Amino acid sequence: MKRVLVGPLLRLMFRPWVRGLENIPGDGPAIMASNHLAVIDSFVLPLVMNREIVFIGKSEYFTGTGLKGRLTAGFMRGVGTIPVDRSGGKASEGALRTGLNRLNDGGLFGIYPEGTRSPDGRLYRGKTGVARLALESGAPVIPVAMIGTDKAQPIGKRLPKPMRIGIVIGEPLDFSRYQGMENDRFILRSVTDEIMYSLMSLSGQEYVDIYAATQKARLAAGVKASETGAPPPSAPGGRPAPDVQVPEPPQETPDPSVD
């Protein structure tokens, strides 16, 4: 998929730029925690990495009918996506167990702490599954900010448009100080907020302290974005918002051999 079938086309379409590749360990387990702006996020990040990474994806991708449904399911399995039932409870717990097994085997596991794509390009409250994974596995969390993928593939658009997108990879976050405290909900929230704060700092996104799924439900019910009652811009954990901007792509150096 990466080297022959899909990767070359994606590179041509998006010409991805990346910062911070040195923050990905050469071996051993790590959790790649990313903001989530578009479906293509799960396909673009592996393009710039030398190691294999797997993500979890909603179970609906694997249960479609007809030719399109079978092709989608086959593609998702081909790129190593792990299905997750987003109805919660034991179903979601099973997906996290699968991620934990991946980490225990020394691999990279990708997760979107927001739980679903952002409905409007802003960064939403993180779910604590990523914190539980970090504390139970002992693996470092590497924050990843996808830049511009929502513009390449806005919600509702099946086919992305060609444009340059970016990836910013932050320094690993170590939560070993909380070892053995994975059942403390206050610790889980604190760890999750620290991860989301790092994502906010890397991506330059505005933060909204409600779940993205809640905002989507409100918008689907016909409530305008200005009327949803979302809290004013702040930062995870109630901290002041960092003074950051959305990263810009590096300037391309002109070829001196071309007049």
Side-chain angles (χ1 to χ4, degrees):
M1 287 286 186
K2 177 178 177 180
R3 305 293 182 186
V4 179
L5 297 179
V6 180
L9 175 61
L10 293 180
R11 287 184 181 276
L12 182 64
M13 288 182 64
F14 303 124
R15 296 182 297 124
W17 57 269
V18 60
R19 296 174 188 157
L21 273 177
E22 68 277 5
N23 291 322
I24 302 176
D27 53 44
I31 301 167
M32 308 292 289
S34 175
N35 62 339
H36 198 13
L37 297 172
V39 173
I40 58 173
D41 292 338
S42 299
F43 310 141
V44 175
L45 178 58
L47 285 181
V48 302
M49 298 173 53
N50 293 324
R51 295 184 60 187
E52 181 186 31
I53 178 175
V54 298
F55 285 88
I56 56 176
K58 61 182 180 180
S59 58
E60 289 92 331
Y61 288 142
F62 299 82
T63 57
T65 59
L67 178 60
K68 178 185 175 183
R70 291 194 295 270
L71 288 175
T72 300
F75 180 83
M76 289 296 178
R77 293 189 183 97
V79 297
T81 304
I82 301 172
V84 57
D85 185 339
R86 295 193 299 181
S87 60
K90 293 182 178 180
S92 295
E93 184 71 17
L96 292 179
R97 290 292 105 192
T98 303
L100 185 60
N101 291 337
R102 168 77 178 177
L103 294 168
N104 289 338
D105 290 338
L108 296 180
F109 182 67
I111 188 170
Y112 300 113
E114 292 168 277
T116 186
R117 284 173 289 166
S118 169
D120 53 19
R122 296 184 293 178
L123 185 70
Y124 283 80
R125 182 179 174 91
K127 297 188 174 183
T128 58
V130 62
R132 186 177 296 277
L133 273 179
L135 299 191
E136 290 195 25
S137 68
V141 177
I142 301 175
V144 179
M146 307 301 297
I147 310 297
T149 52
D150 56 328
K151 296 179 175 60
Q153 188 186 29
I155 287 182
K157 298 294 183 181
R158 296 181 179 178
L159 297 178
K161 63 180 179 181
M163 62 173 290
R164 199 167 193 202
I165 59 178
I167 303 168
V168 181
I169 302 169
E171 296 182 359
L173 303 175
D174 177 17
F175 297 107
S176 59
R177 62 191 183 276
Y178 298 124
Q179 184 177 3
M181 305 176 73
E182 60 271 9
N183 292 321
D184 188 318
R185 63 187 181 92
F186 297 105
I187 294 295
L188 293 178
R189 173 47 54 194
S190 177
V191 169
T192 303
D193 285 344
E194 186 171 338
I195 294 169
M196 301 309 293
Y197 188 90
S198 181
L199 288 177
M200 182 181 185
S201 300
L202 291 174
S203 67
Q205 289 172 279
E206 177 185 316
Y207 178 73
V208 185
D209 197 30
I210 60 174
Y211 293 116
T214 300
Q215 182 75 339
K216 283 185 175 182
R218 291 174 177 176
L219 295 175
V223 180
K224 296 180 180 179
S226 59
E227 301 173 349
T228 56
S234 58
R239 289 178 285 184
D243 185 15
V244 293
Q245 296 181 340
V246 177
E248 296 287 342
Q251 292 187 350
E252 297 180 342
T253 304
D255 188 344
S257 63
V258 179
D259 293 333

